[in-house]
Amino acid sequence: MESQRTFLLIGLMLVSFLLFQEWNNDYNAPKADPSATTQTLGATTSESDDFIPASSDGEVPVATTAKRSVIDVTTDVFTVKIDTRGGDIIEADLLQYEETKGSDTPFMLLGEFDGNQYFSQSGLIGLNGPDATVAGRPVYKTTQKSFTLNGDELRVPLEFTDSKGVTFTKTYIFKKGDYAVDLEYTVNNVTADPIQVQLYTQVKRTVQDKGSLVDQNYLGAAYGTEEEPYEKYSFSDMADKNLNVTTAGGYIAFIQHYFVSAWVPQQDQQNTLYSKLVAGNAAIIGTKGEAVNVQAGTQTTLASTYYMGPKESDVLEAIHPDLDLTVDYGWLWFISQPLFVLLKWLHSILGNWGLAIIAITVIVKSAMYPLTKAQYTSMAKMRALQPKMAALKEKFGDDRQKFGQAMMEMYRKEKVNPMGGCLPLLLQMPIFLALFYVFLESTELRHAEFVLWLTDLSAKDPYYVLPILFGASMFITQKLQPMTVQDPMQQKMMTFMPVIFSVFFLWFPSGLVLYWLVSNLISIAQMLIIYRGMEKKGIKVRG
């Protein structure tokens, strides 16, 4: 296989991979307007949009009027707004993450974004649950309108008493430095009769359109069960069929670029995972626990955990053994995960993510040097056989069978493997694609600075220097490998390949382009070393 065809194969594989990703991802990361005014649920949301999962006595109609207020909660990592109607989290700003690079505005994970909604909801259904028996959902009371974390833990209690005197206390528990929030529902049954309640937790998000071909991050729901540790459930999946799975433990999540929100119910019980599209454009995925009987004169506490924050593998795994899979490295996760560990280790030494990317590229390319050498050596030997190949074509003319037999005999005598240039490349591609996912999914690279004008490795190069340098490196590689292909179409593709890729990479995150540029530069250096060694042995490589 000639070097130019190998180069074409790399390009076609990359483009095909991105096109496959575009087809595979039904929806992409939301494009929220950072300057959009955030509004509370009560101001803009139609109350008929709320969805209460079916309990034993079916769905309950929701009233169109209810008085409510908003509770403000501040910790070292959050500012959170809780609606007293239903006790839902209707806004969450991540204080340690900027909305845009250099801005003073914290990143809004939950809330309303120019008409797009993203809320966390929970409640009690069942025969006597307030969300199933109170039209319009219960409006909770609280002792204060704002709470601030001063120590290691902050408890935010919301209380509702139904018409029979049963008290329901919904308590959110925030912890210092923690993006996981515990939820406790305490049911105090002061009546003379037993009651039955059932905890549900869900995330509601507006269905959103696809992003660009360059932005390949998944936006949508996911869930995990005892049998399936991680399954995506996209907006189109919900449109086709409602999710309805019962499992021991489990979890549900909504995933976007760099961030995730997830409900993790009690793992020692059977939970039902469900989804639903409501009001035409709102997607819901949630969990429903077992029905719990609260005897007369007793109280019971039901619990769940809600995570809303960055996709950090170690933190997510500590909450649920499979929740770290929401850091979606694709089907090559078993390669990506150790590469990410290596990248973090390099960063801990070098203190700069750009330098860490360069270092890991050097390490990977060095480790693959034997494959690279085998690839270039095989291609060089194939080029050296071009005169003999031409002579065989002239000798056998259109007799393809005899030409094929003679060609294979020549390969055998010359000890050349015609696939020698292809196989090493195919073995390298999984590692390259695994690194692609690492750079794409790593929250640590969001807004990470490198040097000079490269102040955000997760954004495109503002001056397009890296894409231009990348195109130049491809051009140099072509010059080191004189064109030997005869097909005019392939010749044109090879000529324009550096330009095509430079344009293609204009919108790529600069961290990814940096990786490809460094990889190309190392390949050029390796190529010169390999070719110089072969020429010393009398093997004609170039010209």
Side-chain angles (χ1 to χ4, degrees):
M1 182 177 181
E2 296 174 345
S3 59
Q4 282 79 22
R5 290 196 176 96
T6 303
F7 209 52
L8 280 172
L9 179 60
I10 295 175
L12 291 174
M13 288 180 71
L14 177 61
V15 174
S16 298
F17 166 71
L18 292 173
L19 288 173
F20 169 76
Q21 287 292 96
E22 177 73 0
W23 169 83
N24 188 54
N25 291 344
D26 295 300
Y27 294 93
N28 227 311
K31 304 296 184 289
D33 181 2
S35 63
T37 301
T38 303
Q39 299 172 316
T40 64
L41 177 65
T44 61
T45 306
S46 169
E47 297 185 18
S48 61
D49 287 349
D50 284 336
F51 167 71
I52 301 174
S55 58
S56 56
D57 56 352
E59 292 185 24
V60 174
V62 181
T64 57
T65 60
K67 295 181 180 180
R68 80 272 288 264
S69 60
V70 173
I71 302 168
D72 295 311
V73 179
T74 303
T75 75
D76 58 328
V77 296
F78 291 127
T79 58
V80 173
K81 293 185 183 298
I82 300 174
D83 189 355
T84 56
R85 177 180 173 271
D88 298 333
I89 298 176
I90 59 172
E91 186 177 315
D93 298 331
L94 309 186
L95 301 179
Q96 299 184 16
Y97 291 86
E98 303 167 318
E99 181 71 45
T100 57
K101 179 66 176 180
S103 72
D104 295 327
T105 305
F107 179 78
M108 182 187 293
L109 180 60
L110 304 184
E112 290 211 22
F113 313 88
D114 197 21
N116 293 322
Q117 301 174 348
Y118 189 9
F119 303 143
S120 170
Q121 302 177 321
S122 55
L124 293 178
I125 51 175
L127 291 175
N128 308 104
D131 289 270
T133 58
V134 178
R137 302 186 68 200
V139 176
Y140 289 87
K141 295 180 179 179
T142 183
T143 57
Q144 56 197 78
K145 296 300 182 183
S146 64
F147 294 81
T148 301
L149 175 67
N150 293 316
D152 293 330
E153 182 178 288
L154 172 65
R155 299 178 71 89
V156 180
L158 299 87
E159 189 174 294
F160 172 78
T161 302
D162 68 9
S163 59
K164 297 180 179 180
V166 179
T167 301
F168 302 89
T169 305
K170 182 176 186 177
T171 303
Y172 287 103
I173 305 170
F174 298 86
K175 295 176 285 293
K176 184 177 180 180
D178 201 341
Y179 291 98
V181 181
D182 291 330
L183 172 67
E184 290 183 356
Y185 257 109
T186 300
V187 182
N188 186 13
N189 182 12
V190 298
T191 70
D193 300 311
I195 61 174
Q196 185 186 87
V197 295
Q198 193 173 12
L199 174 63
Y200 78 90
T201 60
Q202 63 187 31
V203 180
K204 174 183 176 182
R205 184 161 194 164
T206 301
V207 175
Q208 293 176 274
D209 296 329
K210 283 186 178 183
S212 66
L213 177 62
V214 174
D215 189 356
Q216 291 299 310
N217 302 98
Y218 175 71
L219 168 65
Y223 68 92
T225 68
E226 193 174 29
E227 294 77 23
E228 299 290 343
Y230 173 70
E231 283 290 322
K232 293 179 181 178
Y233 210 73
S234 67
F235 295 130
S236 60
D237 290 332
M238 294 184 190
D240 292 339
K241 183 182 179 181
N242 288 334
L243 176 67
N244 185 16
V245 177
T246 300
T247 180
Y251 68 88
I252 60 92
F254 251 111
I255 301 170
Q256 67 187 69
H257 198 192
Y258 298 130
F259 301 98
V260 61
S261 71
W263 276 109
V264 180
Q266 290 182 309
Q267 297 297 293
D268 58 353
Q269 68 176 14
Q270 292 291 114
N271 298 296
T272 299
L273 312 184
Y274 63 86
S275 73
K276 188 177 179 66
L277 291 180
V278 296
N281 68 339
I284 288 176
I285 187 167
T287 74
K288 187 168 57 174
E290 298 174 352
V292 176
N293 294 315
V294 185
Q295 300 301 319
T298 66
Q299 69 176 32
T300 297
T301 298
L302 295 81
S304 188
T305 298
Y306 182 60
Y307 180 88
M308 45 182 175
K311 291 195 282 190
E312 297 180 354
S313 299
D314 295 342
V315 175
L316 294 171
E317 187 177 12
I319 299 171
H320 187 284
D322 301 323
L323 193 57
D324 64 315
L325 297 177
T326 58
V327 184
D328 193 354
Y329 291 132
W331 61 280
L332 292 170
W333 60 268
F334 55 93
I335 302 176
S336 296
Q337 285 184 346
L339 286 175
F340 176 65
V341 172
L342 175 59
L343 183 67
K344 286 182 65 177
W345 179 75
L346 291 170
H347 174 261
S348 69
I349 296 174
L350 300 172
N352 182 289
W353 286 107
L355 294 178
I357 289 175
I358 294 174
I360 197 172
T361 309
V362 172
I363 291 173
V364 170
K365 292 291 291 184
S366 299
M368 293 191 298
Y369 179 74
L371 293 176
T372 302
K373 184 176 181 180
Q375 175 186 344
Y376 287 135
T377 300
S378 177
M379 291 189 298
K381 289 181 178 179
M382 289 292 293
R383 280 195 299 274
L385 292 178
Q386 288 299 316
K388 294 184 179 180
M389 185 79 69
L392 290 176
K393 287 182 179 179
E394 184 177 351
K395 178 178 180 180
F396 294 106
D398 295 332
D399 193 334
R400 293 182 176 274
Q401 183 176 359
K402 290 184 178 180
F403 171 72
Q405 292 174 347
M407 182 174 63
M408 295 307 296
E409 179 63 21
M410 178 186 67
Y411 288 154
R412 187 185 65 80
K413 288 182 178 180
E414 299 290 341
K415 298 181 179 179
V416 173
N417 180 3
M419 296 299 293
C422 249
L423 292 178
L425 172 66
L426 295 177
L427 291 174
Q428 295 176 53
M429 286 307 295
I431 298 177
F432 289 141
L433 295 180
L435 276 172
F436 176 89
Y437 274 116
V438 167
F439 298 146
L440 208 61
E441 276 288 284
S442 300
T443 305
E444 290 80 357
L445 293 179
R446 183 179 187 268
H447 296 170
E449 295 185 2
F450 181 29
V451 293
L452 301 175
W453 73 98
L454 295 173
T455 59
D456 186 356
L457 290 172
S458 66
K460 68 179 182 180
D461 184 335
Y463 302 110
Y464 308 115
V465 175
L466 290 181
I468 293 173
L469 291 177
F470 175 82
S473 70
M474 289 188 68
F475 179 77
I476 293 172
T477 302
Q478 285 187 356
K479 287 300 181 182
L480 289 174
Q481 303 177 77
M483 189 171 294
T484 58
V485 295
Q486 302 299 318
D487 181 70
M489 181 60 69
Q490 290 188 24
Q491 288 180 351
K492 290 181 180 179
M493 289 181 66
M494 287 301 305
T495 301
F496 288 104
M497 189 68 76
V499 177
I500 293 171
F501 267 73
S502 293
V503 173
F504 196 61
F505 278 10
L506 290 179
W507 295 274
F508 264 56
S510 55
L512 281 172
V513 185
L514 175 64
Y515 158 69
W516 283 102
L517 171 60
V518 174
S519 180
N520 266 12
L521 294 176
I522 296 173
S523 294
I524 290 172
Q526 290 179 338
M527 191 185 309
L528 291 173
I529 293 171
I530 293 168
Y531 285 174
R532 189 176 294 115
M534 295 179 66
E535 287 172 348
K536 287 182 179 179
K537 295 180 180 179
I539 301 175
K540 187 177 181 181
V541 176
R542 292 165 287 179

